[in-house]
Amino acid sequence: MSIRHPIISVTGSSGAGTTTVKHTFDQIFRREGISAVSIEGDAFHRFNRKDMAAELTRRTAAGDQTFSHFSFEANELGELERVFREYGETGRGRTRHYVHDDKEAAVYNTPTGTFTDWAPFEDQSDLLFYEGLHGAVVNEVVNLARWADLKIGVVPVMNLEWIQKIHRDRASRGYTTEAVTDVILRRMHAYVHCICPQFTETDINFQRVPVVDTSNPFIARWIPTADESLVVIRFKSPRGIDFPYLTSMINGSWMSRANSIVIPGNRLDLAMQLILTPLILRLLDQKKRA
């Protein structure tokens, strides 16, 4: 952890809603005049799309049915930790972009399914913001959690996550339901061993829970809306959190445990603004005092 160069890490699995959370952080950064360097977990994949397909074929032929982008060995976690450590120590670092589609290919002048070249961060940033799959990994090789000053987990219940992934991959990537189901099955081992343990390391978890039937996600015709959801917000250390203030400001919210608050799904952006803004400003105040 670094007082002079704080790091915020948002961790959530595919379809969890981390992109929505990133949008909220961007709003806070813009409103408060904060200069943030943003890095994406995709930038630290070990393989481009073609090589990932070849590696998947090789492992499947060898009897490994669990390899996916969730897996530790599919990502350059050592490089990600080096970036966290270097930024925390010096305020410098580097990143790249993974090009997902033709639109991004035109922006970065790089073929779809490949990476841009590594490039250094802009100088004089206030903080580093990470959003991806592995921002709080602790295993025998790396300890990313120790470098981040504020760790946020974005956690949907599993059936909701599957519904979101099925709909997204069918709509934007042209996959069949059967193909997405195969990906989900392949990811389960890594989900249990690589993704879930990170949510023990996070400081705050936002978990979306639908209040409509999601019992068979593979035939669901639509994704539950925010109005059809609740969000459970869990604080690892509730000391200093003004729960009476939050429940009074967020209509329809209540405390479910001494460290948890439940809010209507359509109040998530407001809740994040109320909770995260003072935490971010506290990090920057400590930075200025250092």
Side-chain angles (χ1 to χ4, degrees):
M1 298 174 68
S2 170
I3 294 178
R4 293 184 180 274
H5 308 289
I7 298 172
I8 299 173
S9 175
V10 174
T11 298
S13 58
S14 180
T18 52
T19 301
T20 302
V21 174
K22 183 180 185 304
H23 176 70
T24 299
F25 271 98
D26 287 341
Q27 287 182 304
I28 296 173
F29 296 154
R30 182 171 57 252
R31 185 183 66 237
E32 301 297 336
I34 297 169
S35 174
V37 172
S38 295
I39 60 176
E40 302 165 349
D42 291 351
F44 296 86
H45 287 334
R46 180 161 292 167
F47 305 102
N48 62 32
R49 187 172 296 169
K50 180 180 178 181
D51 291 344
M52 182 66 178
E55 181 69 9
L56 181 60
T57 299
R58 184 186 71 79
R59 288 177 178 261
T60 301
D64 182 0
Q65 304 294 327
T66 66
F67 185 70
S68 72
H69 280 121
F70 283 18
S71 306
F72 291 148
E73 59 268 29
N75 296 274
E76 299 284 3
L77 298 185
E79 176 64 20
L80 179 58
E81 183 175 34
R82 190 191 69 78
V83 171
F84 275 22
R85 181 175 63 250
E86 181 180 356
Y87 186 86
E89 293 173 350
T90 67
R92 299 185 180 91
R94 67 173 190 168
T95 191
R96 60 182 179 179
H97 296 279
Y98 178 78
V99 181
H100 294 89
D101 51 38
D102 292 340
K103 183 178 180 180
E104 292 185 358
V107 172
Y108 296 110
N109 194 28
T110 303
T112 301
T114 65
F115 300 98
T116 64
D117 294 333
W118 291 100
F121 294 159
E122 296 180 2
D123 293 333
Q124 306 301 319
S125 60
D126 293 319
L127 56 83
L128 174 64
F129 178 83
Y130 166 91
E131 179 260 315
L133 294 170
H134 299 101
V137 166
V138 177
N139 61 21
E140 297 82 3
V141 180
V142 299
N143 186 338
L144 290 160
R146 68 176 173 174
W147 301 107
D149 301 272
L150 177 60
K151 298 177 286 292
I152 307 297
V154 185
V155 197
V157 295
M158 188 159 289
N159 279 18
L160 174 59
E161 179 174 338
W162 290 351
I163 291 173
Q164 292 182 141
K165 178 165 180 58
I166 290 168
H167 280 251
R168 186 193 65 181
D169 285 5
R170 288 193 310 188
S172 63
R173 300 180 181 178
Y175 292 175
T176 65
T177 300
E178 292 74 20
V180 184
T181 302
D182 288 341
V183 173
I184 290 171
L185 291 172
R186 192 169 65 244
R187 286 179 169 180
M188 286 307 300
H189 182 273
Y191 188 89
V192 171
H193 293 91
C194 304
I195 303 298
C196 287
Q198 296 182 73
F199 300 127
T200 305
E201 304 291 337
T202 46
D203 300 304
I204 307 172
N205 284 333
F206 294 86
Q207 183 170 23
R208 184 178 166 200
V209 182
V211 292
V212 294
D213 182 22
T214 61
S215 54
N216 188 347
F218 303 100
I219 65 169
R221 295 188 177 184
W222 54 80
I223 300 171
T225 66
D227 289 329
E228 298 170 329
S229 306
L230 298 173
V231 177
V232 180
I233 307 172
R234 188 274 294 174
F235 298 85
K236 186 175 185 178
S237 176
R239 180 176 297 178
I241 303 299
D242 191 343
F243 288 104
Y245 170 74
L246 291 176
T247 54
S248 67
M249 291 294 292
I250 305 171
N251 188 37
S253 65
W254 73 93
M255 290 187 66
S256 58
R257 284 187 175 176
N259 66 342
S260 301
I261 183 174
V262 182
I263 67 169
N266 57 15
R267 297 288 188 269
L268 176 58
D269 183 73
L270 172 62
M272 294 186 67
Q273 298 272 356
L274 292 172
I275 294 167
L276 296 175
T277 299
L279 297 178
I280 295 170
L281 294 179
R282 186 185 306 167
L283 289 176
L284 295 182
D285 183 62
Q286 292 172 344
K287 173 187 176 76
K288 291 177 182 179
R289 293 172 181 270

